[in-house]
Every structure is written in C-alpha cells, then in structure tokens.
Amino acid sequence: MAYCPACKAEWSAETEQCPICGREMAEDNEEKEDNWVLIGSIEDKLSADFARETLTVYEIPAVIVSKSGFFGDIGLPLHSFYSGKTGRFEVSVLSSQVEEAVDVLNMALGEKWQRKE
C-alpha cells in the first residue's frame, strides 16, 4: 500500500503519483513526515487567489479554504451578504514549508494577510 505524504490518501502499491495532488507517493512503512499546518488568514478573495497562485509559482503546495459566506466552513468564496463582515480565507501549507510560505506571503501580500500565532 502506498500513501500520499501531502494529502494522506492511500492508494494501491503501483500508484506512483497521487491522483489528488500530484505528489510522489511514499511506501506505507515510510515515516509520514509532513502535516498540513494552518499559517494564517486573508480577508478578501482576490488576495486569497493571488496568494495561492504565488505559492504555486514557488512550488509550495497550499490549501486555501473560505470561512465566509452563508454556508460557513464549506469553502464557498462568498462574502457574507447578511452581515457587514468581510470574508476570511484560511491558508494551510505543509509543515516542512511553513517558513518559506510565510516569507513568500509577507513579500507578496504584506499586511493583506495575518499570520496565525
């Protein structure tokens, strides 16, 4: 059995790359080294999209999930129309790439994102 160290999905032993995220598969008995870590949040969709694209250019896998909108945590990129609050998008990266991702987001977004302490 092989597993993806990024998204933790298990696949048959002959699978070489994860069908979900494209990362190279690891053997089941290999140490599972990387975990996804929430590093911060962004308040608007345009900046969240820019952050995802910028991290992709730097070859840093990232997951950005919307925490705004009528449906809450399911990931819709909507701003809440029933309240005056702005949107919020949470950014997660692999634990081995936290510092590099923080540096990239600081450079690309500056004060448009807030690091989780």
Side-chain angles (χ1 to χ4, degrees), residues 11-62:
W11 302 95
S12 63
E14 58 273 354
T15 306
E16 294 180 11
Q17 286 188 320
C18 178
I20 296 172
C21 67
R23 257 193 89 186
E24 194 171 312
M25 300 298 280
E27 294 297 319
D28 198 27
N29 58 0
E30 289 181 28
E31 186 176 324
K32 299 177 181 179
E33 76 283 350
D34 274 346
N35 293 315
W36 289 95
V37 177
L38 175 65
I39 61 169
S41 62
I42 301 169
E43 289 192 12
D44 64 273
K45 183 175 180 346
L46 183 62
S47 296
D49 290 343
F50 182 67
R52 182 177 42 247
E53 292 300 319
T54 303
L55 291 169
T56 301
V57 167
Y58 281 88
E59 297 181 355
I60 300 172

Side-chain angles (χ1 to χ4, degrees), residues 15-112:
T15 306
E16 294 180 11
Q17 286 188 320
C18 178
I20 296 172
C21 67
R23 257 193 89 186
E24 194 171 312
M25 300 298 280
E27 294 297 319
D28 198 27
N29 58 0
E30 289 181 28
E31 186 176 324
K32 299 177 181 179
E33 76 283 350
D34 274 346
N35 293 315
W36 289 95
V37 177
L38 175 65
I39 61 169
S41 62
I42 301 169
E43 289 192 12
D44 64 273
K45 183 175 180 346
L46 183 62
S47 296
D49 290 343
F50 182 67
R52 182 177 42 247
E53 292 300 319
T54 303
L55 291 169
T56 301
V57 167
Y58 281 88
E59 297 181 355
I60 300 172
V63 174
I64 299 179
V65 176
S66 172
K67 293 293 195 172
S68 59
F70 181 75
F71 297 103
D73 296 347
I74 64 170
L76 293 176
L78 304 171
H79 291 286
S80 178
F81 62 87
Y82 58 88
S83 73
K85 296 180 184 176
T86 60
R88 186 173 63 119
F89 299 83
E90 292 183 343
V91 182
S92 297
V93 297
L94 295 172
S95 59
S96 63
Q97 296 181 308
V98 168
E99 293 306 316
E100 184 180 3
V102 167
D103 290 343
V104 168
L105 291 175
N106 283 337
M107 175 191 66
L109 296 179
E111 294 180 10
K112 289 191 176 245

